[in-house]
Amino acid sequence: RGCSRSTRVLFHEYSIKAAILIQRWYRRYVARLEMRRRYTWNIFQSIEYAGEQDQLQLSSFFSFMLDNFTHMNGNGPDLISHLLDSVVDPLTEEVRQLKYEQIVVPESYCGPRLSFPLSVTDTNALLSAFKEEQTLHGKYVLQLLYETKKFLKQMPNIIYLSTSYAKEITICGDLHGRLDDLLLIFYKNGLPSAENPYIFNGDFVDRGKKSTEIIIILFAFLLLYPDHMHLNRGNHEDHIMNLRYGFTREVMQKYKTHGREMLQLLQDVFSLLPLATVIDNKVLIVHGGISDKIDLDFLSTVERHKVKSALRLPKRSVDHLNVHANVRSSSRQSGRTSRASRRRKKHITKQGSCSSSSSSSSSSSSVCSPRVSSRNTSRRPPPSPSLPSPTDVLQVPFLDSFVSLEPPEPPRDELERQQVVDILWSDPKNQSGCSPNSFRGGGCYFGPDVTQALLQKHGLCLLIRSHECKQEGYELCHNGQVITIFSASNYYEEGSNRGAYVKLGPELVPRFFQYQVSRSTRKLTLHQRVCVAEGSALRALKEKLYGHRSDLMAAFQQYDIDNTGRISTSEWTQVVESVLRLDLPWRTLRPRLARLGADGNVEYESCFEDISPGEPIPPVTPNLAETLYRYRTDLEIIFNIIDKDHSGQISIEEFRQTWKLFSSHLGVAVNDQTIDDMARSIDFNKDGSIDFNEFLEAFRVVHKLDVKEQQQG
């Protein structure tokens, strides 16, 4: 009996020790998974924001060229003016309406047929058709956009709502072309109606494949329930953003006959969307955020329809830019003269800088803040001169000294545009103050003090915004005064994040509802979901590394004096960050990107082993091919601008124009002979036209692991 008691005690002790060991192992296992999940998230977000910044820089280049050059390499700005400047519609409202009504719908068309004004039957027909993968005929899309434009013209910049007329109001964030998310929201929360009002807070389009279906549904419910369905503008309701992120291509592919006219109508519709919504005079809802310059009274007077694109910089004349250039030039000349005279007098004094600078931490945002690497070759310099900020103080030479002059008050249209940019592009930060949003390249970072000041000024208690993907679909910050709501689940990758919406009742206490559209992720374990997302993020990151291979190798070799092929881990992380500037935990990521040698140093060329180029066109040199890998999206955007009918085919002369724009934007020297050789080599059927999509396909990188899996499959 005594022996059995001691055995039980011993067994109990072993059980406790085993449980403790298992618990420790599990906690470490979960911690490692969480670490991988977080750096995967950081990779996705950093690459997303870097892409937005590239788009802003490209738009800045286009705007500057259009405003300040009459000719560029023999080609006028007409190449892009039809895109950047709004089209003047020569037709009257009555004629346009009649034109749409006369479009013939063939009897073979089996989709929904709309009649205006819309009824509940029409919206139900649309939902059923889109669930069955049907496409709405172009006639009805044009009529819908036309009616939406007429309605939005009557709307103010800021919509004021009251919960006293409804039990609760539902606020949804970014959808980004994810129709399944919208349908799931309607399934869980009910369709829009007088008893179930909705606010959709911008970014309906781009990235996803069902953007046209989403705007058709939202605009239909807007016309059906104008007092109970509300749409705020997002930064992707912008025709220039749509070029990079897929909406333009989607419209032209689905509506080849009427697509171009739809895009022109959408420019007007997007620019007429309200900028903000206020509930019960207490809750402000905007897409991006605020800045220390935002004033709701001023915002309500902005002529929002003039801001077709927040990326389109306000026009500045050449004379205006030349004035500043001459000031800087004369300052430098004056400096040289005064220094020479002082040397003759052997009297040395300190001289102030003559360049304009901003000493204010308060930020009026600017689109296209250049993201320049510490190495000149790692990032391209901004292609156009920086426009002076309203907070700049000009240092003007006067005799042997400098006189500080206050800059003139910015014109009204520039102040209006700055307000729109801040509303659409800004993000909150934990630190106090307001500073340029250098990570995205546009808008501001605003701190809790900026939030508190705006809420107090206008008697508000809460700011709801979207614009940022959150892993749980929502997030609170600034002591609960700012809510971020994001409604596109699986935004980066299957299982990467949940979507959410928030409901507000008369007490204005937010209630959050989460969901995740999932077909395959439900069957996966947590470990498998993390692995899938991590693999996708690492593939994207390796493509970034490969696109900057020359810059990285040059920087690696500066540390590798003995040409061993190895450098220390700290040197490797320093080089990668200085070239890519993605602000990632490179030391943590190193085992996934590069291997260590026997001496514990990083074999830096192993960064590029998992990726190989496709089969580039023979006349393209390796350096030019790498440039194409890196800036492939920019080149595609330029091509889409020139390809006015979006046919995918351009002439050899248009191909040359594309390259001239591309080389001007990047400062890449490509001679005419190289361009002609490339054009001839990809004109496969020798008909004088080029399939540009096939050309771009040659400059996709290939992941060797994916190739092996395909071969095994």
Side-chain angles (χ1 to χ4, degrees), residues 5 36 44 51 55 74 79 93 104 160 165 185 266 290 327 439 460 501 505 517 527 618 641 688:
R5 185 182 301 113
R36 290 169 61 188
F44 280 132
Q55 174 63 31
L79 294 175
E93 297 292 317
V104 177
Y160 288 87
Y165 298 106
I185 292 170
L266 281 163
I290 59 175
V327 166
F439 210 45
L460 303 166
Y501 56 89
V517 174
H527 179 266
I641 293 171

Side-chain angles (χ1 to χ4, degrees), residues 103 137-139 142 251 255-263:
I103 295 174
H137 191 274
K139 170 183 178 174
L142 288 169
V251 171
Y255 297 98
K256 293 181 172 60
T257 303
H258 303 290
R260 183 162 178 76
E261 195 166 5
M262 290 177 189
L263 291 173

Side-chain angles (χ1 to χ4, degrees), residues 287-301:
H287 175 72
I290 59 175
S291 72
D292 55 358
K293 302 296 183 185
I294 289 293
D295 180 86
L296 296 185
D297 297 327
F298 180 82
L299 188 67
S300 65
T301 66

